[in-house]
Amino acid sequence: MKCLRCGAAALAAQKFCGECGSALGADAVTRPYAGVQHHTPKHLADKILTSRDSLAGERKQVTVLFADIKGSLELLSDRDPEEARKVLDPVLERMMDGVHRYEGTVNQVMGDGIMAIFGAPVAHEDHAIRACYAALRMQKEIERHADDLRQTEGISVQVRIGINSGEVVVRSIGSDLHMDYTAVGQTTHLAARMEQIARPGSIFITADCLRLAEGFVEVKRLGPVPVKGLAAPVEIYELIGAGPMRSRLQAAAARGLTPFVGRGPEMSALRDVLARAREGRGQIVAVVGEPGVGKSRLVHELVRSHHAADWLVLESRSASYGQATPYLPLIELLKNYFKIDAHDSTRSIREKVTGKILTLDPTLQEAVPPVLDLLDALYDDHPFASLDAVQHRQATYEAVTRLLLSEQRVQPVIVVFEDLHWNDSLTLGLLNELVRATADARLLLLVSYRPEYHDEWTTRANYHQVRLDPLGTDSVAELLGALLGSDASLAPLKAFLIARTGGNPFFVEEIVQTLVESGALEGTRGRYRLTTPVASVRVPPTVQAVLAARIDGLRAPE
């Protein structure tokens, strides 16, 4: 048998789980749920099963999520078991849908709840963010479903969710996608405890989870809470909603950007291309480099430089979980262009879009419905909604392209699409249309992606590729000097980081940040001193997650 809460092995004679302390009994234990594979999207199940042999025994940085229906026994005690399942199953389906939306793995379904893992067996560099967004999504969907249950069944259903981040070791993966794993430290135990102490309708997360998702989520600090089995209380937070940040660069900017070093030739090349686009010879530039090497920072420095001061800059970013959502980067770009925020009503969105487009160019009347449709603000009975898929796609491409071409007649335009390797196919199709229309426009299309992605534009005369290599030793030394300072105690650490980070500025910054948070570095930026030996430096979870995701992305040996 296995504990219902954390999945740990349980003996028949045990009254309490030895791992998480939960009560055990006939109703509190379960065998692995045989139906997990049935509910897992095919592309995700195939990814797990294809690589399961190579994943067994791996240590993974993960985020664990527990969710259950509070008081389900009391709610359904007077109902026939089949009737009770009709109430529970739709709630469980919504829980699993939330997990799968962000490519998490539902490891167990346990009566009235689930256990899910983000970052294992397939690694994700943003596993904590995915888990938080999944929890928010399932909470929203279940609240909507609960309103229906209240009217039809006369019962009130509320879900509580607990989340924690840490390490696990995957032992084996069954053909039903159930994973046997060994928890390292208190990873699973703490996630289960967060769920148990969470109020109905709330999401509790640990400080370890927040550290990896900070800026991407909004939380309320609840303070330290004693946890059985741990010597010190655990700092916990209530997850309130999504935060304003959508990229690592934005998170770094909130802490204060480090000096921009070692990219003189690349910046010079971008400025030359910008000058050509200003003259009406539209340009396409692809910035290519490994994760953390500085693609976003290079783009940031160009579009915020005085060279682009009189340009209209339209930026979008992709999410690693966004390929399942059509036009996700484009929608963000349009929201920025029309200055639409989360508080705008549907009526307000319609007014902003219609007014801005027709003021720009009255002949763009036909572009209004496709744009409103992208922003989920189109009238339900509008004829555009009834177009077939091909007509719908072509009208959308034409509307956005005409909008941008009209805007460049007013002022030169920089259109930024980052992380093309995470773009959905419809967004990529739009970019192909835009590329064909840029030849005689005051428009620069600036994209970025990782080396494994290949665009379709290399043969075009106005296409340029800027490849970002790791920083050289001198540039890393300059970066470390600005970050750390010149105290004599820092010399071994600087030599260690130059040797071990491979010139990756993200790795350098994350390790330094971790040393500051752990107390190994004391002082302020540019004036630190080392208080612990270099040998005790550990790779931060953020860096481990990036490396693990890159390793998982490599092809398995034949």
Side-chain angles (χ1 to χ4, degrees):
M1 296 188 299
K2 290 182 179 290
C3 171
L4 180 65
R5 295 291 182 191
C6 70
L11 300 175
Q14 284 181 252
K15 293 184 178 180
F16 297 94
C17 173
E19 179 66 25
C20 72
S22 298
L24 300 175
D27 296 326
V29 291
T30 183
R31 297 189 181 278
Y33 180 68
V36 172
Q37 186 179 20
H38 172 71
H39 295 284
T40 304
K42 186 177 185 302
H43 77 280
L44 186 55
D46 290 345
K47 188 184 295 186
I48 295 169
L49 294 173
T50 300
S51 54
R52 61 177 172 166
D53 291 339
S54 62
L55 292 172
E58 278 195 347
R59 181 184 297 264
K60 293 281 192 181
Q61 280 285 336
V62 304
T63 297
V64 181
L65 179 151
F66 281 86
D68 79 340
I69 303 171
K70 176 61 177 172
S72 61
L73 287 177
E74 293 82 356
L75 281 173
L76 305 172
S77 58
D78 59 344
R79 292 175 181 263
D80 178 84
E82 289 189 7
E83 290 297 318
R85 289 249 58 91
K86 289 181 180 178
V87 173
L88 286 175
D89 284 351
V91 180
L92 292 173
E93 292 280 356
R94 284 165 173 78
M95 290 181 184
M96 289 186 282
D97 288 345
V99 171
H100 293 146
R101 169 66 180 78
Y102 293 94
E103 293 196 335
T105 301
V106 177
N107 188 38
Q108 295 179 50
V109 178
M110 307 164 291
D112 62 353
I114 65 169
M115 171 188 174
I117 297 181
F118 295 80
V122 178
H124 292 120
E125 58 198 70
D126 53 356
H127 51 84
I129 300 168
R130 289 172 182 251
C132 290
Y133 286 175
L136 291 169
R137 182 181 178 88
M138 69 173 71
Q139 185 185 59
K140 181 179 179 180
E141 292 299 319
I142 290 171
E143 283 176 356
R144 187 178 294 130
H145 179 64
D147 290 339
D148 295 335
L149 284 178
R150 198 174 294 112
Q151 296 176 18
T152 59
E153 302 290 338
I155 60 175
S156 179
V157 171
Q158 288 185 302
V159 172
R160 57 183 183 175
I161 303 171
I163 307 175
N164 181 43
S165 299
E167 288 184 324
V168 298
V169 175
V170 179
R171 285 207 302 252
S172 65
I173 306 168
S175 59
D176 61 354
L177 302 187
H178 171 74
M179 284 178 286
D180 285 327
Y181 61 90
T182 300
V184 177
Q186 301 292 331
T187 302
T188 309
H189 172 46
L190 274 178
R193 286 295 296 151
M194 290 303 101
E195 177 218 43
Q196 291 163 17
I197 65 176
R199 298 186 305 274
S202 67
I203 306 166
F204 282 12
I205 69 174
T206 63
D208 286 336
C209 176
L210 177 60
R211 193 172 295 114
L212 297 175
E214 194 162 12
F216 292 85
V217 297
E218 292 184 1
V219 298
K220 179 171 71 176
R221 183 176 179 272
L222 301 177
V225 171
V227 175
K228 181 180 178 180
L230 295 183
V234 175
E235 195 76 26
I236 65 171
Y237 301 82
E238 182 176 358
L239 179 60
I240 304 299
M245 297 177 188
R246 293 293 180 269
S247 70
R248 283 201 302 254
L249 182 68
Q250 290 176 324
R255 297 196 302 250
L257 290 174
T258 57
F260 184 60
V261 301
R263 299 302 187 195
E266 292 86 354
M267 280 298 293
S268 179
L270 290 179
R271 287 194 292 267
D272 290 344
V273 171
L274 197 65
R276 293 188 200 121
R278 183 188 292 276
E279 296 168 358
R281 297 181 289 160
Q283 303 289 300
I284 307 113
V285 177
V287 179
V288 184
E290 295 286 350
V293 80
K295 300 183 296 296
S296 294
R297 182 63 185 276
L298 183 69
V299 171
H300 173 88
E301 294 296 328
L302 176 71
V303 301
R304 285 159 182 80
S305 69
H306 69 275
H307 299 282
D310 59 340
W311 290 65
L312 172 65
V313 179
L314 300 176
E315 296 183 84
S316 76
R317 289 179 179 86
S318 303
S320 59
Y321 45 80
Q323 289 175 301
T325 305
Y327 299 116
L328 185 63
L330 176 61
I331 291 168
E332 182 187 0
L333 182 142
L334 291 173
K335 285 181 177 179
N336 292 334
Y337 176 64
F338 291 105
K339 294 181 170 54
I340 293 169
D341 60 38
H343 303 294
D344 278 318
S345 64
T346 301
R347 178 178 177 178
S348 175
I349 294 172
R350 289 169 182 164
E351 290 173 350
K352 286 184 176 182
V353 170
T354 304
K356 189 173 180 67
I357 290 179
L358 297 184
T359 300
L360 175 66
D361 185 347
T363 67
L364 289 178
Q365 179 71 49
E366 292 183 359
V368 174
V371 172
L372 288 178
D373 186 57
L374 287 168
L375 297 172
D376 199 24
L378 187 67
Y379 294 97
D380 292 337
D381 57 351
H382 195 283
F384 181 78
S386 62
L387 295 179
D388 64 43
V390 174
Q391 293 173 320
H392 189 280
R393 182 179 66 242
Q394 197 53 47
T396 301
Y397 289 178
E398 183 177 342
V400 175
T401 301
R402 288 185 62 198
L403 177 62
L404 294 175
L405 290 178
S406 293
E407 189 64 65
Q408 61 85 34
R409 297 187 190 105
V410 178
Q411 61 184 320
V413 179
I414 300 175
V415 180
V416 179
F417 278 82
E418 294 200 57
D419 299 316
L420 290 197
H421 48 278
W422 288 333
N423 274 212
D424 62 282
S425 59
L426 288 173
T427 299
L428 292 174
L430 168 69
L431 291 180
N432 288 333
E433 290 286 323
L434 189 57
V435 163
R436 286 192 281 270
T438 59
D440 300 315
R442 293 191 299 166
L443 189 145
L444 170 62
L445 176 60
L446 182 54
V447 303
S448 69
Y449 52 79
R450 295 176 180 178
E452 64 268 21
Y453 179 84
H454 299 284
D455 61 51
E456 303 176 6
W457 315 316
T458 54
T459 59
R460 303 191 72 88
N462 59 344
Y463 172 85
H464 313 268
Q465 189 175 97
V466 176
R467 184 168 290 271
L468 281 192
D469 294 318
L471 292 174
T473 300
D474 291 344
S475 295
V476 176
E478 183 182 351
L479 176 60
L480 287 171
L483 278 173
L484 299 174
S486 57
D487 189 89
S489 67
L490 298 168
L493 175 61
K494 290 179 179 179
F496 175 86
L497 292 176
I498 289 173
R500 296 297 183 90
T501 58
N504 188 301
F506 171 70
F507 294 173
V508 172
E509 293 176 23
E510 288 298 303
I511 293 174
V512 169
Q513 180 66 22
T514 299
L515 291 173
V516 172
E517 292 174 353
S518 67
L521 286 172
E522 290 185 349
T524 58
R525 179 180 285 188
R527 293 185 173 184
Y528 288 117
R529 64 183 184 85
L530 189 65
T531 62
T532 58
V534 174
S536 64
V537 173
R538 294 189 61 194
V539 177
T542 48
V543 174
Q544 290 186 45
V546 169
L547 294 174
R550 296 299 287 155
I551 291 169
D552 276 9
L554 299 175
R555 288 188 177 184
E558 298 293 338

